Amino acid sequence: MRKTALITGASSGIGRATARLFASQGIDIIICGRRKERLQELQQELSTQVDVHILAFDVRDKAMVFKGIASLPEQFSNIDILINNAGNAHGLSPIDQGDVEDWEAMIDINVKGLLYVSKAIIPSMIANKAGHIINIGSTAAKEVYPNGNVYCASKHAVDALNQAMRIDLHHHGIRVGAIHPGLVETEFSEVRFKGDTEKAEKVYQGYTPLTPEDIADIIYFAVSRPAHVNIADLIVMPRDQASSTIVNKKLS
Ligand code: NDP
Ligand code: 8X3
């Protein structure tokens, strides 16, 4: 029987690459994000391969999250795989100069949004005695770097929640694991630097960053293991990266 996956943050980057790979592997998908037009384009692209349903919501809006997931058409209501991917960094400033709205966005999206989506889906996984949740953390979930303060805190929370979900859900037959990428070239830095593309591009210059497809491959690897195997925690960096702050850049 075909599986169904719900992917948050499917309108861009890692989430979109994952949607494409899942579709190519015959997994029906529910694609989520705020930018509905992007989701519609993706639906059009992938619906020749699998069934694709759109849920356009802001993960901060808990009423919309719960309503959207509760009102999924019957065909999509049994979610086998949840990819908690929606998230971003907003700003990069010392703690004393941080923008409170940026802090709230990161905590509300990366932490509370992930909780809302998970809470809406976990009961049906428990009822099915099966399910697989992949939480997208970051190297920022494992270490803290200068000016990364609240983004790192939000991703450390994702790391903690990943462990907590596994502890609380494994006896229901639900697999929970996190994938923690290092530097991946997506719209991430454009969002972090509020549309300053020049600044964003510099983040990925002088070395070979990961691509969203690299991460999608790893996500698919994790979800395609036999049912008794759970990839619990995995860190992946570009070859040229050793830590959040140590990157072998060759700039001319
Ligand atoms: P992108 O900016 O390319 O994608 C972010 C996705 O998250 C978009 O689809 C966006 O959709 C969605 N999103 C953001 N805010 C909201 C919101 N309030 N409600 C619903 N959806 C939202 O970045 P990435 O693909 O790189 O990021 C995906 C995940 O990977 C994030 O959790 C990020 O922290 C993590 N990550 C990224 C790394 C990198 O170097 N790029 C490294 C480590 C982790 P929309 O705007 O349409 O709502
Ligand atoms: C994204 C990677 O290094 O900007 O999580 O934190 S980093």
Side-chain angles (χ1 to χ4, degrees):
M1 214 178 87
R2 284 220 314 238
K3 292 199 166 173
T4 300
L6 184 145
I7 304 168
T8 66
S11 56
S12 173
I14 294 169
R16 184 168 57 191
T18 304
R20 287 184 170 133
L21 183 56
F22 278 16
S24 75
Q25 298 302 315
I27 300 174
D28 292 328
I29 45 179
I30 301 158
I31 50 176
C32 309
R34 290 165 299 179
R35 287 170 290 180
K36 198 171 181 185
E37 319 74 55
R38 287 234 190 154
L39 296 173
Q40 284 165 335
E41 279 168 30
L42 191 62
Q43 182 184 43
Q44 206 167 17
E45 175 190 329
L46 302 179
S47 55
T48 51
Q49 302 172 66
V50 288
D51 294 328
V52 183
H53 185 79
I54 291 175
L55 275 185
F57 55 53
D58 185 327
V59 293
R60 285 173 288 196
D61 185 339
K62 59 176 179 272
M64 271 187 82
V65 169
F66 289 124
K67 193 171 155 218
I69 292 171
S71 57
L72 280 167
E74 171 71 25
Q75 185 204 341
F76 289 95
S77 60
N78 254 327
I79 294 165
D80 303 288
I81 301 164
L82 165 61
I83 310 295
N84 273 324
N85 164 76
N88 276 117
H90 294 266
L92 183 70
S93 313
I95 196 81
D96 54 301
Q97 290 164 38
D99 180 317
V100 173
E101 280 180 21
D102 283 345
W103 293 354
E104 284 169 349
M106 290 184 278
I107 290 167
D108 290 350
I109 298 167
N110 303 355
V111 185
K112 290 162 71 180
L114 178 148
L115 281 169
Y116 301 153
V117 174
S118 303
K119 184 158 176 66
I121 293 172
I122 287 168
S124 70
M125 288 184 168
I126 291 178
N128 293 339
K129 298 186 176 57
H132 199 155
I133 301 172
I134 301 280
N135 295 306
I136 302 302
S138 168
T139 43
K142 301 291 188 180
E143 52 177 312
V144 176
Y145 53 85
N147 305 327
N149 43 67
V150 178
Y151 178 66
C152 296
S154 75
K155 288 297 181 175
H156 275 62
V158 172
D159 189 22
L161 289 171
N162 180 62
Q163 295 174 53
M165 284 185 193
R166 192 166 54 251
I167 291 166
D168 294 346
L169 300 176
H170 76 282
H171 60 277
H172 292 292
I174 299 171
R175 290 185 273 179
V176 181
I179 293 167
H180 301 283
L183 291 153
V184 190
E185 188 166 9
T186 62
E187 292 172 20
F188 177 86
S189 292
E190 230 178 288
V191 174
R192 166 168 259 173
F193 297 125
K194 303 179 193 307
D196 184 337
T197 46
E198 212 176 307
K199 211 165 168 184
E201 279 166 14
K202 281 201 180 119
V203 174
Y204 308 109
Q205 282 167 2
Y207 70 104
T208 308
L210 296 169
T211 66
E213 289 74 22
D214 292 326
I215 306 304
D217 276 346
I218 292 163
I219 295 171
Y220 180 70
F221 176 79
V223 303
S224 58
R225 292 311 81 212
H228 67 287
V229 178
N230 182 35
I231 309 276
D233 208 51
L234 189 152
I235 300 175
V236 51
M237 294 180 194
R239 177 203 53 205
D240 297 330
Q241 180 177 19
S243 76
S244 290
T245 49
I246 304 173
V247 183
N248 186 24
K249 285 195 174 202
K250 293 193 169 68
L251 293 166
S252 48

